């Protein structure tokens, strides 16, 4: 351990009597916050500090040792790309390997023209073109014609904000976008509600009943009111950044600054976000900075003859599982591009934050493929990409500098410690991480365990399995479980019987079981959150179809790339029972102030009976997972008082049997043994395969 020299004055202390002298206690090491919160991380503190110091070093470098803000560095979108000036236009691009760049478009018959020839800015890799007002008009199409030693090609500019696809040729082009009347925001100063954060994950294109690509406007008019009525306070929108292939679900991005034009105009996206804010709904963007599409004409794959301009060279260039390219987070120019991208979406479109996709892939040289992550040593064994870790840390710093109320969520499966811990504590600075263990657990349980083997102790442990210093977004299923090749929870529970036995007059035992468990699985997951809860569009009411985007294998059909709202609206079908339950469940959760911060206190579990009970604030949650055994006067020790039922999965309103009388007030029964604990017995009738929530008066 390093020692410090004493100041000179300290050397001339008066001698103390030996009889009273005491040895100073050895100083305890000052652990970084992440290690303070988890002593098991102590052997890896040097690695944690190393990452933290790396981020601080890079932060100081990019901010000129604190002389400017990180937002000042992340301002590339104000400089690069095509911009309308008070007089004329300016176009700029970072293309260090280019020898010549022309703008070509329908304004010059797509031919090289000296008037539209860019000039390299001396001493840089940047190119610039200044034009007159009349040289470009709103709506015109254009590309770059880039030349380099040994080749040339047409390219869409990396920083362009509008890309459109020709309906006939299917060719993508950049588009001059300068509407005569810019969008005027109606709702400003919006602050997301995070107590708790209730997220509705959605996709604009597949959000309509019709077999087609839905639009921003249709989503605003038709879907947002449903989400608000259902009680969600945030939406997480997929596939915003432009992507050439619709079926990629938006995860093979080509133009990082362009909102997908297949859903409408930038102004229509702004109107959607504006209306969401008016309704009290935060808008989170599913941002993809983990990789990029390989396309060269549409994307960044070979912008100016250097395939490694944005991406790692050699073996790390391509993602082995995703058929995509991996960003080089060690390059300042790439960090500049990506950080500017974060700031752009926050500022230009008023997004309230981001769910970062594919974080696991970014963290490790292996992308996390084939790794078990069985212990803490697996996170600190030298196979981590420190450049990516630094970028993610800086991204969180930037986002919260730009908007202190912003929300950042990490989609990460390996369990990397510190992901959603504070930067000051040695963490990455995300506000939340996805609790990806929970959907995996439910799938495994439904697939492999008969109902009589479901163990409440295992269920309770899994829905609470998280680091105490990191908030999570819990969920039963996301879009991942709805894609072709997988199955939603409702489809795993009921399968083909959904097609024949989901009319109320023809419900069979399989459907009854599925309806009951669908509600219970959601309730126990949502009831145990420590940050937020997420549902994918339509799954709240048990949408019956998987998601399959138009492709050659299905005849380019949109039949399975839509949401059938008509099903939940039809009161003759069972779907509305599940939708109604979901709405009431969220209402109950929001009835407890700061529910997500309220301690989860176990009351009782018995794996033989398949009973679980726990308390949060004034709410008592009781589950009977047994498929056959109902219980009368089943007792729990709870705080003395009276309790009313506020939600029952077995209610006839939600497709249950209605066996219990939920109108009665339940009074606790005195027991002299527990007087000092201020507890008494709450005795309940708990039907098989049901759950009930009670509120203390």
């Amino acid at each position: 351990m390093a020692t410090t020299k004493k100041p000179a004055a300290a050397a001339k202390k008066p001698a103390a009597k030996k009889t009273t002298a005491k040895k100073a206690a050895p100083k305890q090491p000052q652990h970084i916050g992440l290690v303070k919160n988890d002593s098991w991380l102590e052997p890896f503190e040097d690695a944690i500090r190393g990452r933290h110091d790396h981020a601080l070093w890079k932060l100081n470098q990019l901010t000129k040792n604190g002389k400017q803000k990180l937002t000042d560095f992340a301002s590339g979108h104000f400089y690069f790309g095509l911009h309308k000036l008070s007089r004329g236009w300016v176009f700029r691009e970072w293309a260090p390997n280019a020898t010549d760049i022309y703008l070509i478009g329908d304004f010059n018959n797509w031919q090289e023209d000296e008037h539209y020839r860019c000039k390299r800015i001396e001493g840089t890799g940047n190119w610039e073109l200044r034009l007159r007002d009349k040289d470009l008009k709103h709506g015109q199409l254009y590309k770059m014609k880039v030349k380099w030693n040994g080749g040339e090609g047409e390219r869409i500019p990396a920083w362009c904000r509008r890309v459109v696809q020709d309906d006939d040729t299917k060719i993508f082009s950049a588009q001059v976008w300068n509407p005569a009347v810019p969008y005027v925001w109606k709702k400003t100063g919006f602050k997301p509600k995070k107590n708790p954060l209730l997220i509705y994950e959605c996709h604009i294109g597949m959000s309509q009943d019709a077999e087609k690509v839905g639009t921003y406007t249709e989503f605003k008019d038709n879907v947002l009111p449903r989400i608000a009525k259902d009680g969600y306070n945030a939406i997480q929108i997929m596939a915003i950044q432009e992507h050439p292939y619709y079926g990629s679900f938006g995860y093979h991005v080509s133009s990082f600054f362009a909102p997908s034009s297949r859903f409408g105009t930038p102004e229509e996206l702004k109107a959607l976000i504006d209306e969401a804010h008016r309704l009290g709904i935060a808008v989170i963007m599913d941002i993809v900075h983990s990789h990029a599409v390989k396309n060269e004409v549409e994307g960044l794959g070979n912008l100016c003859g250097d395939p490694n301009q944005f991406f790692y060279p050699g073996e790390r260039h391509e993602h082995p599982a995703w058929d995509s390219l991996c960003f080089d987070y060690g390059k300042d120019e790439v960090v500049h591009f990506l950080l500017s991208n974060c700031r752009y979406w926050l500022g230009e479109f008023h997004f309230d934050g981001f769910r970062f996709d594919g974080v696991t892939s970014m963290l490790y040289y292996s992308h996390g493929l084939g790794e078990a992550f069985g212990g803490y040593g697996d996170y600190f064994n030298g196979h981590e990409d420190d450049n990516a870790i630094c970028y993610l840390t800086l991204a969180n710093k930037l986002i919260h500098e730009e908007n202190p109320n912003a929300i950042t969520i990490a989609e990460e499966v390996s369990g990397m410690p510190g992901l959603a811990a504070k930067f000051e504590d040695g963490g990455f600075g995300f506000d939340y991480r996805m609790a990806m263990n929970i959907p995996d657990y439910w799938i495994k349980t439904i697939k492999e365990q008969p109902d009589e083997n479901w163990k409440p102790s295992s269920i309770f442990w899994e829905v609470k399995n998280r680091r105490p210093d990191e908030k999570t977004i819990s969920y039963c299923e996301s879009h991942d479980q709805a894609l072709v090749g997988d199955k939603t929870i409702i489809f795993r529970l009921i399968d083909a019987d959904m097609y024949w036995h989901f009319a109320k007059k023809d419900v069979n035992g399989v459907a009854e079981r599925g309806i009951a468990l669908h509600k219970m699985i959601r309730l126990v997951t949502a009831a145990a959150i420590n940050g937020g809860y997420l549902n994918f569009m339509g799954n709240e009411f048990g949408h019956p179809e998987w998601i399959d985007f138009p492709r050659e294998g299905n005849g380019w059909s949109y039949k399975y790339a839509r949401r059938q709202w008509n099903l939940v609206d039809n009161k003759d079908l069972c779907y509305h029972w599940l939708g109604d339950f979901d709405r009431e469940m969220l209402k109950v959760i929001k009835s407890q102030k700061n529910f997500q911060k309220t301690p989860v206190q176990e009351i009782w579990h018995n794996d033989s009976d398949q009973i679980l009970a726990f308390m949060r604030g004034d709410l008592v949650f009781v589950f009977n997972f047994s498929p056959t055994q109902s219980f009368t006067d089943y007792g729990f020790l709870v705080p003395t008082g009276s309790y009313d039922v506020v939600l029952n999965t077995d209610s006839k309103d939600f497709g249950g049997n209605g066996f219990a009388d939920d109108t009665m007030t339940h009074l606790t029964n005195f027991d002299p043994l527990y007087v000092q604990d201020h507890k008494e017995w709450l005795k309940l009738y708990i039907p098989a395969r049901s759950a009930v929530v009670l509120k203390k008066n």
Side-chain angles (χ1 to χ4, degrees):
M1 179 182 291
T3 58
T4 55
K5 293 181 179 179
K6 292 181 180 179
K12 296 183 179 180
K13 286 170 113 183
K17 293 182 180 179
K18 291 183 179 180
T19 53
T20 58
K22 292 183 180 179
K23 288 185 178 180
K27 287 187 177 181
Q28 296 298 317
Q30 187 66 33
H31 293 301
I32 199 166
L34 202 60
V35 178
K36 279 183 185 177
N37 295 333
D38 185 353
S39 60
W40 289 95
L41 286 172
E42 193 169 333
F44 313 104
E45 184 160 10
D46 286 346
I48 293 169
R49 286 187 180 276
R51 294 174 183 179
H52 184 68
D53 291 344
H54 182 194
L56 283 175
W57 167 78
K58 179 57 72 174
L59 179 64
N60 285 331
Q61 177 194 330
L62 300 182
T63 61
K64 300 179 181 178
N65 292 318
K67 293 179 181 178
Q68 63 182 33
K69 294 181 179 180
L70 192 56
T71 48
D72 296 325
F73 171 77
S75 57
H77 52 296
F78 295 118
Y79 181 79
F80 290 107
L82 179 64
H83 297 277
K84 182 70 179 70
L85 306 177
S86 56
R87 295 181 64 183
W89 301 80
V90 64
F91 170 80
R92 299 187 187 96
E93 185 71 26
W94 174 54
N97 198 55
T99 58
D100 231 339
I101 298 179
Y102 294 85
L103 278 196
I104 60 173
D106 48 17
F107 43 79
N108 60 10
N109 295 316
W110 299 93
Q111 301 297 315
E112 295 176 22
D113 182 335
E114 285 297 314
H115 186 65
Y116 293 91
R117 186 180 186 183
C118 302
K119 294 181 180 180
R120 182 188 284 270
I121 300 175
E122 188 174 349
T124 74
N126 303 332
W127 295 74
E128 181 180 270
L129 172 64
R130 291 183 178 270
L131 296 167
R132 301 164 298 183
D133 281 333
K134 65 180 183 179
D135 291 332
L136 293 175
K137 295 180 181 178
H138 172 70
Q140 288 182 318
L141 304 180
Y142 70 99
K143 290 180 183 177
M144 297 189 301
K145 181 67 174 291
V146 186
K147 299 185 179 184
W148 57 86
N149 290 327
E152 62 179 44
E154 294 184 0
R155 298 290 186 264
I156 290 178
W159 297 79
C160 75
R161 301 186 178 194
R162 173 75 171 167
V163 176
V164 294
Q165 185 179 27
D166 185 273
D167 291 336
D168 297 323
T169 65
K170 305 303 180 186
I171 292 174
F172 286 88
S173 301
Q175 187 174 40
V176 178
W177 199 254
N178 183 45
V181 181
Y183 186 81
V184 178
W185 293 90
K186 300 177 182 66
K187 178 72 174 178
T188 57
F190 175 80
K191 293 183 180 180
K193 299 173 185 175
K194 305 176 186 177
N195 50 347
L197 189 63
L198 302 170
I199 303 173
Y200 198 84
E201 185 186 29
C202 50
H203 183 285
I204 301 298
M206 58 170 288
S207 63
Q208 302 304 309
D209 233 314
E211 295 182 27
K212 68 181 187 71
V213 177
T215 67
Y216 297 124
T217 300
E218 288 173 327
F219 187 92
K220 172 177 66 73
D221 295 342
N222 303 332
V223 183
L224 271 180
R226 291 180 180 272
I227 297 169
K229 182 180 178 182
D230 287 345
Y232 291 89
N233 56 26
I235 55 175
Q236 180 178 298
I237 310 182
M238 308 170 64
I240 291 295
Q241 295 167 293
E242 191 59 87
H243 44 291
Y245 179 45
Y246 187 44
S248 76
F249 233 140
Y251 291 123
H252 275 192
V253 175
S254 53
S255 296
F256 286 78
F257 289 84
S260 181
S261 62
R262 56 173 56 87
F263 309 134
T265 67
E267 286 66 40
E268 288 166 343
L269 173 57
K270 291 176 181 179
L272 185 165
I273 296 170
D274 211 359
E275 176 63 9
H277 288 169
R278 187 189 71 80
L279 294 170
I281 297 172
V283 186
I284 301 165
M285 176 176 162
D286 198 345
I287 200 166
V288 184
H289 284 179
S290 47
H291 62 136
V293 72
K294 293 168 72 172
N295 299 37
E296 295 186 355
V297 175
E298 296 88 0
L300 307 177
N302 187 14
L303 193 72
C304 59
D306 178 8
N308 302 322
Q309 179 180 342
F310 285 92
F311 308 105
Y312 278 124
E315 293 181 355
R316 302 185 62 196
H317 186 70
E318 294 190 18
H319 196 293
W322 294 348
D323 192 33
S324 56
L325 303 176
C326 302
F327 282 110
D328 184 346
Y329 306 103
K331 278 187 177 179
D332 285 354
E333 295 89 347
V334 173
V335 171
H336 179 239
F337 179 80
L338 295 175
L339 288 181
S340 299
N341 193 238
C342 293
R343 189 179 173 202
Y344 165 74
W345 291 109
L346 291 172
E348 182 69 21
F349 288 91
H350 293 199
F351 277 100
D352 299 295
F354 305 100
R355 178 262 202 187
F356 278 75
D357 176 69
V359 170
T360 306
S361 176
M362 300 171 70
L363 295 180
Y364 306 100
Y365 297 140
S366 67
H367 305 292
L369 300 172
E371 301 209 40
F373 299 103
Y376 276 177
D378 294 333
Y379 305 112
F380 305 98
N381 63 8
H383 70 334
E384 305 85 38
D385 185 344
D386 288 341
N387 292 331
I389 291 172
C390 181
Y391 166 68
L392 289 169
T393 306
L394 292 178
N396 278 293
K397 289 282 288 182
L398 166 82
I399 291 163
H400 293 103
E401 184 179 297
E402 178 75 5
N403 179 3
N405 297 303
I407 298 161
T408 58
I409 305 168
E411 188 238 11
E412 205 282 316
V413 72
S414 78
M416 169 68 78
L419 205 64
K422 295 178 180 178
F423 172 71
E424 295 76 14
D425 290 339
F428 290 47
F430 282 97
D431 296 304
Y432 306 88
R433 63 190 305 160
M434 302 291 290
M436 300 185 75
N437 59 299
I438 297 177
D440 289 345
Y441 173 80
W442 286 124
I443 290 169
K444 184 177 176 65
T445 299
I446 295 169
K447 282 175 63 176
E448 300 178 6
Q449 296 294 333
D451 294 4
E452 57 271 19
N453 287 354
W454 288 27
K455 289 183 168 54
S457 59
S458 298
I459 293 170
F460 194 50
W461 186 88
E462 201 67 49
V463 296
K464 296 196 301 95
N465 179 19
R466 59 224 174 193
R467 299 177 58 79
D469 57 345
E470 300 190 47
K471 293 184 291 186
T472 61
I473 302 296
S474 299
Y475 63 108
C476 309
E477 53 189 342
S478 67
H479 70 270
D480 287 329
Q481 287 73 41
L483 293 167
V484 164
D486 208 336
K487 287 184 179 181
T488 60
I489 284 177
I490 198 69
F491 222 68
R492 288 187 184 280
L493 291 169
I494 304 177
D495 214 87
D497 283 69
M498 287 199 72
Y499 297 117
W500 313 109
H501 297 286
F502 234 57
K504 289 181 178 179
K505 63 182 180 181
D506 193 26
V507 178
N508 65 1
V510 174
E512 288 177 346
R513 168 185 177 265
I515 291 169
L517 288 176
H518 191 271
K519 292 177 289 185
M520 294 181 71
I521 288 170
R522 275 167 159 66
L523 180 60
V524 73
T525 302
I529 61 173
N530 77 327
Y533 174 76
L534 176 141
N535 165 74
F536 177 67
M537 177 174 64
N539 285 356
E540 73 278 9
F541 66 83
H543 197 282
E545 304 288 8
W546 57 83
I547 300 166
D548 188 12
F549 280 88
R551 56 186 174 84
E552 188 175 359
N554 64 16
W556 302 102
S557 170
Y558 287 88
K559 182 177 181 181
Y560 298 109
R562 61 189 179 116
R563 297 284 92 176
Q564 299 179 61
W565 305 107
N566 65 90
L567 297 175
V568 71
D569 292 340
N570 189 338
K571 300 303 181 184
D572 292 328
L573 302 178
C574 300
Y575 299 98
H576 85 86
W577 281 335
L578 299 178
D580 293 346
F581 173 80
D582 193 76
R583 181 170 57 252
E584 293 304 312
M585 177 183 76
L586 298 187
K587 187 182 296 183
V588 167
I589 287 173
K590 289 192 288 187
S591 72
Q592 178 71 49
K593 187 177 180 181
N594 286 323
F595 179 86
Q596 78 288 356
K597 295 181 180 179
T598 307
V600 181
Q601 299 175 308
E602 183 176 7
I603 296 172
W604 175 260
H605 81 261
N606 185 306
D607 285 347
S608 297
D609 294 341
Q610 295 183 271
I611 295 288
L612 170 66
F614 58 91
M615 199 165 185
R616 299 197 76 165
D618 292 332
L619 296 175
V620 177
F621 297 85
V622 180
F623 299 83
N624 179 5
F625 285 97
S626 171
T628 57
Q629 182 67 49
S630 298
F631 297 96
T632 304
D633 290 335
Y634 204 102
F636 306 99
L637 280 170
V638 298
T640 301
S642 63
Y643 293 79
D644 288 328
V645 173
V646 292
L647 187 67
N648 193 335
T649 65
D650 194 48
S651 167
K652 289 186 176 180
D653 291 339
F654 311 130
N657 296 303
F659 286 146
D661 180 2
D662 293 337
T663 63
M664 65 180 293
T665 296
H666 296 267
L667 304 176
T668 55
N669 298 309
F670 176 74
D671 188 327
L673 293 175
Y674 300 99
V675 170
Q676 290 183 335
D677 297 329
H678 304 289
K679 289 185 177 181
E680 293 182 346
W681 291 99
L682 176 66
K683 295 192 174 182
L684 301 173
Y685 169 53
I686 319 172
R689 203 179 272 145
S690 73
V692 63
V693 185
L694 303 100
K695 189 177 182 70
K696 186 177 183 296
N697 295 312

